[in-house]
């Protein structure tokens, strides 16, 4: 019998502090709830709903794709290069 080792899924470490996650969830839910009320400008309501939903997702998962994209694009400069 040949035993194969199973590949373990990568462990995702949250990059946002617990306090930041809590604040993000609360702010996202408040913003999403506020966007549900009828307003004269529907675009701003949709924008507020999308932003609130993103903040709630960010806080719930502890992962921020926007921050990751910025770090990937610009990165931290090498401190030894100075």
């Amino acid at each position: 019998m040949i035993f194969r080792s199973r590949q373990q899924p990568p462990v995702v470490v949250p990059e946002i502090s617990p306090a930041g996650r809590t604040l993000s969830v609360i702010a996202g839910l408040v913003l999403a709830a506020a966007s549900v009320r009828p307003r004269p400008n529907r675009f701003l309501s949709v924008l507020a709903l999308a932003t609130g939903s993103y903040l709630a997702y960010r806080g719930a998962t502890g992962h921020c794709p926007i921050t990751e994209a910025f770090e990937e694009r610009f990165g931290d400069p090498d401190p030894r290069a100075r």
Side-chain angles (χ1 to χ4, degrees):
M1 260 186 149
I2 298 175
F3 293 101
R4 292 185 189 172
S5 63
R6 296 172 103 192
Q7 292 288 346
Q8 296 294 329
V11 176
V12 179
V13 177
E15 55 192 43
I16 303 169
S17 69
R21 291 178 69 178
T22 303
L23 183 64
S24 185
V25 168
I26 291 170
L29 292 176
V30 167
L31 189 58
S35 71
V36 176
R37 286 189 22 204
R39 306 226 184 253
N41 190 342
R42 289 181 190 231
F43 175 73
L44 291 179
S45 293
V46 170
L47 184 63
L49 180 62
T51 305
S53 299
Y54 173 75
L55 285 174
Y57 165 79
R58 176 183 183 262
T61 62
H63 177 71
C64 183
I66 294 174
T67 302
E68 184 179 294
F70 273 109
E71 287 176 355
E72 188 176 296
R73 173 74 171 116
F74 299 109
D76 291 332
D78 187 22
R80 295 176 289 170
R82 292 182 182 186

